[in-house]
Amino acid sequence: MTDDTGVGTIRKVGVIGAGQMGNGIAHVCAAAGFEVKLNDISRERIESGLATINGNLARQVASGRITEETRQKALSLITVAPTLADLGDADLVIESAVENEEVKRKILRELCPLLKPEAILATNTSSISITRLAAATDRPERFIGIHFMNPVPVMELVELVRGIATEDSTFETARAFVERLGKTIAVSEDFPAFMVNRILLPMINEAIYTLYEGVGSVEAIDTAMRLGARHPMGPLELADFIGLDTCLSIMQVLYEGLADSKYRPCPLLVKYVEAGWLGRKTQRGFYDYRGEKPVPTR
Ligand SMILES: CC(=O)CC(=O)SCCNC(=O)CCNC(=O)[C@H](O)C(C)(C)COP(=O)(O)OP(=O)(O)OC[C@H]1O[C@@H](n2cnc3c(N)ncnc32)[C@H](O)[C@@H]1OP(=O)(O)O
Ligand SMILES: NC(=O)C1=CN([C@@H]2O[C@H](COP(=O)(O)OP(=O)(O)OC[C@H]3O[C@@H](n4cnc5c(N)ncnc54)[C@H](OP(=O)(O)O)[C@@H]3O)[C@@H](O)[C@H]2O)C=CC1
């Protein structure tokens, strides 16, 4: 893809992690005409991500947002990349594996020697320091936070976060790339959880404290915020949607990074994660999704 919009150097995009965010990122990149290579720790995970992309592209066709031709073209642009070495010819790699700093650092360390020297590396982390992750790479000047929102094909916003060493040219290429995806950019400084999650996650954590202290039931809290504050989803429903493991990781980054007790993760959130009740992705969280309709678990 060559043009004068600044994104001309990017044709091939590698995506690491085929979970809910990784498959959404692959979806929007392919729909915008980029070649995409999708990686995860197992072929099954990648296949499952591809099946989700297929379903989400089909619903966009059904609602008239894209044409059948765009759907087919997008699908043909996505290939399976079972190993990190398969991402070696990518111009941009977006890491979107689990929200765990050790896992991300390990991926970045292993990936760097396999990449072209000029390739740009980005992370979709929700909260972890871009500067710290950049330090695990051989290219802090070509490292940047490109933080998509969930569900990626629907949400308009992307936060762009520079690390201390990120070069202007990296930032400008990332900006042009995100604009090519049709998203709106909000630029955030590199502080714990950036802007959206700095504001959103304490609200979700407070909703969990509200449940923990018996102020209201799961249904009452969600109804209160849906109808009382016009949020599209109640905070507990949204927590299940994001993933309770991800919510807990973000709260821990805020708590440790800002050293303020107001960010203390609610013990009930910790308990749900310890139980493996991670929300929609495991079919159980503040709601049980195994039946026809979600049923509150408290
Ligand atoms: C944790 C982080 O690091 C940052 C974050 O992302 S925080 C989370 C941010 N996200 C939110 O806050 C989401 C809040 N929820 C919402 O906005 C809405 O509930 C929602 C967009 C998810 C669903 O909207 P809804 O009106 O209840 O449902 P629905 O009518 O089924 O969907 C609306 C549209 O989105 C599409 N859609 C919904 N989920 C989708 C998905 N996963 N993939 C693709 N398309 C999807 C639907 O097809 C539908 O499209 P059309 O308008 O073209 O028909
Ligand atoms: N959920 C959300 O609403 C949002 C999340 N984010 C961020 O996006 C990232 C991904 O989150 P999300 O998609 O929700 O998480 P998911 O749990 O849905 O997906 C993460 C995927 O990464 C895989 N994975 C784990 N380790 C590796 C590895 N070493 N190499 C390759 N893949 C690996 C996981 O496999 P397995 O399951 O087998 O471990 C899983 O398939 C996180 O950094 C998160 O903070 C950003 C915006 C919103």
Side-chain angles (χ1 to χ4, degrees):
M1 195 170 290
T2 46
D3 58 23
D4 56 4
T5 60
V7 75
T9 50
I10 296 176
R11 287 178 53 243
K12 294 186 181 169
V13 181
V15 179
I16 300 175
Q20 53 179 340
M21 293 305 290
N23 76 57
I25 294 167
H27 171 145
V28 297
C29 290
F34 294 96
E35 285 177 47
V36 179
K37 292 185 164 191
L38 187 56
N39 167 270
D40 203 299
I41 37 184
S42 71
R43 194 172 261 276
E44 293 71 53
R45 283 270 182 237
I46 305 174
E47 295 295 344
S48 148
L50 283 173
T52 303
I53 294 170
N54 203 349
N56 284 335
L57 282 166
R59 78 202 229 179
Q60 287 183 310
V61 174
S63 66
R65 292 198 185 266
I66 61 167
T67 62
E68 174 57 23
E69 195 190 351
T70 305
R71 184 184 84 88
Q72 287 187 9
K73 171 108 193 298
L75 284 175
S76 74
L77 285 171
I78 306 175
T79 53
V80 171
T83 69
L84 289 180
D86 294 321
L87 307 179
D89 63 347
D91 306 302
L92 166 70
V93 175
I94 305 173
E95 175 282 311
S96 188
V98 283
E99 189 70 349
N100 174 311
E101 187 164 343
E102 272 323 298
V103 173
K104 290 189 187 295
R105 291 172 83 94
K106 184 165 178 289
I107 291 171
L108 295 171
R109 272 197 305 270
E110 283 173 21
L111 177 67
C112 282
L114 306 168
L115 292 180
K116 298 187 290 190
E118 67 274 21
I120 293 179
L121 245 179
T123 175
N124 182 46
T125 179
S126 293
S127 60
I128 301 166
S129 161
I130 303 304
T131 299
R132 226 164 42 228
L133 289 176
T137 76
D138 60 357
R139 62 194 73 206
E141 67 288 352
R142 278 193 297 288
F143 190 86
I144 190 160
I146 303 184
H147 181 212
F148 292 84
M149 305 294 140
N150 186 10
V152 183
V154 179
M155 304 300 279
E156 292 106 329
L157 190 82
V158 169
E159 286 184 314
L160 271 190
V161 191
R162 312 171 68 128
I164 198 167
T166 310
E167 277 175 355
D168 287 348
S169 60
T170 303
F171 183 83
E172 288 311 325
T173 305
R175 181 204 290 274
F177 169 74
V178 172
E179 283 170 354
R180 175 67 74 85
L181 302 181
K183 306 290 186 191
T184 299
I185 291 167
V187 177
S188 171
E189 288 298 323
D190 187 17
F191 282 99
F194 321 124
M195 297 185 298
V196 170
N197 288 334
R198 169 84 177 252
I199 299 165
L200 185 64
L201 263 294
M203 192 267 299
I204 288 175
N205 195 45
E206 198 60 30
I208 303 170
Y209 270 114
T210 308
L211 176 68
Y212 180 61
E213 291 170 10
V215 181
S217 65
V218 168
E219 258 177 335
I221 292 166
D222 275 350
T223 303
M225 293 308 286
R226 263 201 323 270
L227 303 186
R230 284 246 174 122
H231 289 195
M233 286 176 168
L236 301 172
E237 188 189 357
L238 182 56
D240 275 357
F241 183 63
I242 292 169
L244 301 188
D245 52 341
T246 303
C247 290
L248 178 58
S249 298
I250 298 169
M251 286 312 299
Q252 281 163 340
V253 167
L254 279 167
Y255 186 48
E256 286 158 22
L258 297 168
D260 189 329
S261 63
K262 76 178 175 182
Y263 298 112
R264 187 168 72 99
C266 178
L268 188 60
L269 173 60
V270 176
K271 189 179 280 193
Y272 270 76
V273 173
E274 284 173 350
W277 293 14
L278 306 182
R280 281 202 202 179
K281 63 183 162 189
T282 57
Q283 298 215 308
R284 228 180 327 181
F286 292 110
Y287 294 86
D288 186 332
Y289 300 91
R290 292 171 299 171
E292 233 166 67
K293 269 178 57 185
V295 178
T297 52
R298 286 179 93 82

